Amino acid sequence: MTVASYFLPRSPAEAVEILAARGPSLMVMSGGTVAMPLVNEGISLPEEVMGLRFAGLDRLEVVDGGLEIGATVTLTRLLRQRTVRMLSDAARSTASWTVRNLATVGGNLFTPPPGGDVATALLALDASVTLTGPAGSRTVPLADFFTGFMTTVLRDDELVTSIRVPAVEGGTAYLKFGRKQANTPSVVTVAVRVVRDGGAVTDARIALGAAGPHPILADGARTALVGSRLDDDAIGAAADAAARESEPFSDGIASEWYRRRMVRLFVRRALEQVASAGAGEGR
Ligand SMILES: Cc1cc2nc3c(=O)[nH]c(=O)nc-3n(C[C@H](O)[C@H](O)[C@H](O)COP(=O)(O)OP(=O)(O)OC[C@H]3O[C@@H](n4cnc5c(N)ncnc54)[C@H](O)[C@@H]3O)c2cc1C
């Protein structure tokens, strides 16, 4: 089977119209860094493909101190923005320059396990995702977007059109642990955001990548931190809780046992980084 039709819509509306008309067998391709290898290896043999490159989904704007990120903004552009440092760090840790020049933020939400590194950062930052279909757009918190192993709330006739990141409150840290410098799948990725008032933690989000079927929030770790002074005991309790509640898996990169240990270690390190940076604002 070969590709019989390739669609290149020139607007979001046209993209949604084509998707509605062709149905779920249409392969949606953004940067193609996940989709194309599947075609090359014969795992996916689509007859119809829609490229989003010219669909007008590539705006990257500062809005109310946060970011509005079009779904097709590349990771290279995300790396270069200066508004949200954690997203720059996450983009830099993803793949390599050549891949980042093509790979998109929207596509990162669909990264197969061990999962998207940028998506993990977006989860810690309390991002929301706008999904657009023939009936219009709806916005869902990223925390509610993932539903299971390679499943999301996206309907067959919808596209991810943008991602909204609110202004960053509190201190942040992002750590990815892989085996190599570049093009390295994650052993574990940890993204944390901690809000403090007078030294006491009032809110926290600890997102884990490669530690579940999709990027997950460690709610037990949050509970261990809120109300604490982000001291060593609280950090240790949060790291232990994150290791307990993570759902790691074994693959060619690391065993479940090792991943769980690395979750504990890297949550500890990330929180220590925030603690030593002081109670100031993060980006
Ligand atoms: C060598 C190599 C190294 C890599 N390293 C990393 C890494 O370190 N960390 C990491 O996180 N990822 C890594 N990846 C995976 C990949 O590059 C990223 O996940 C990237 O962000 C995917 O974006 P894309 O635009 O290329 O997705 P595509 O390949 O275009 O699409 C991927 C999937 O998402 C769907 N999709 C894409 N955009 C939309 C949209 N707007 N609406 C609805 N569905 C959509 C497509 O239908 C497809 O199923 C690597 C890939 C390669 C080839």
Side-chain angles (χ1 to χ4, degrees):
M1 198 188 300
T2 54
V3 174
S5 311
Y6 191 85
F7 300 92
L8 269 178
R10 301 286 160 162
S11 69
E14 194 189 346
V16 167
E17 203 176 295
I18 293 168
L19 181 60
R22 314 312 296 188
S25 62
L26 177 77
M27 176 188 258
V28 174
M29 187 143 71
S30 198
T33 61
V34 169
M36 273 311 293
L38 298 179
V39 175
N40 276 344
E41 288 161 23
I43 296 166
S44 180
L45 296 168
E47 277 187 76
E48 297 187 321
V49 177
M50 174 167 73
L52 295 180
R53 184 172 298 238
F54 303 119
L57 294 170
D58 60 349
R59 277 172 41 182
L60 177 60
E61 285 179 334
V62 178
V63 178
D64 298 333
L67 281 179
E68 179 81 19
I69 307 167
T72 66
V73 166
T74 63
L75 300 192
T76 297
R77 283 182 65 205
L78 191 71
L79 192 160
R80 290 187 172 143
Q81 59 75 35
R82 293 284 171 260
T83 305
V84 182
R85 188 176 50 213
M86 189 200 278
L87 289 179
S88 210
D89 293 345
R92 188 177 296 106
S93 82
T94 301
S96 54
W97 280 110
T98 41
V99 175
R100 290 194 292 264
N101 286 341
L102 292 167
T104 65
V105 180
N108 201 261
L109 306 181
F110 300 91
T111 312
D117 289 318
V118 171
T120 305
L122 289 168
L123 193 57
L125 295 169
D126 205 6
S128 51
V129 188
T130 298
L131 315 174
T132 306
S137 292
R138 60 188 177 118
T139 299
V140 296
L142 185 59
D144 298 336
F145 178 73
F146 303 108
T147 52
F149 178 79
M150 299 295 287
T151 57
T152 70
V153 298
L154 190 79
R155 297 185 190 122
D156 283 348
D157 61 357
E158 288 179 320
L159 294 170
V160 172
T161 43
S162 65
I163 297 104
R164 170 68 71 96
V165 179
V168 179
E169 202 193 337
T172 63
Y174 175 89
L175 296 173
K176 171 177 173 177
F177 174 46
R179 304 271 190 195
K180 307 177 282 174
Q181 290 290 318
N183 283 335
T184 187
S186 175
V187 172
V188 65
T189 299
V190 174
V192 303
R193 185 173 67 83
V194 181
V195 184
R196 282 184 280 177
D197 185 4
V201 176
T202 56
D203 195 13
R205 281 173 83 86
I206 293 92
L208 308 175
H214 50 75
I216 56 172
L217 282 175
D219 290 327
R222 175 186 185 277
T223 305
L225 290 176
V226 172
S228 81
R229 313 223 30 112
L230 201 57
D231 52 21
D232 204 50
D233 284 350
I235 289 176
D240 286 347
R244 268 195 312 274
E245 65 195 310
S246 64
E247 305 163 46
F249 46 84
S250 299
D251 60 11
I253 303 150
S255 68
E256 176 192 335
W257 176 86
Y258 185 61
R259 277 203 163 97
R260 199 180 295 278
R261 290 180 74 91
M262 293 304 107
V263 167
R264 181 182 288 111
L265 179 65
F266 279 86
V267 168
R268 173 179 270 285
R269 284 186 183 169
L271 291 172
E272 284 172 352
Q273 237 180 57
V274 174
S276 65
E281 290 283 315
R283 269 197 302 131

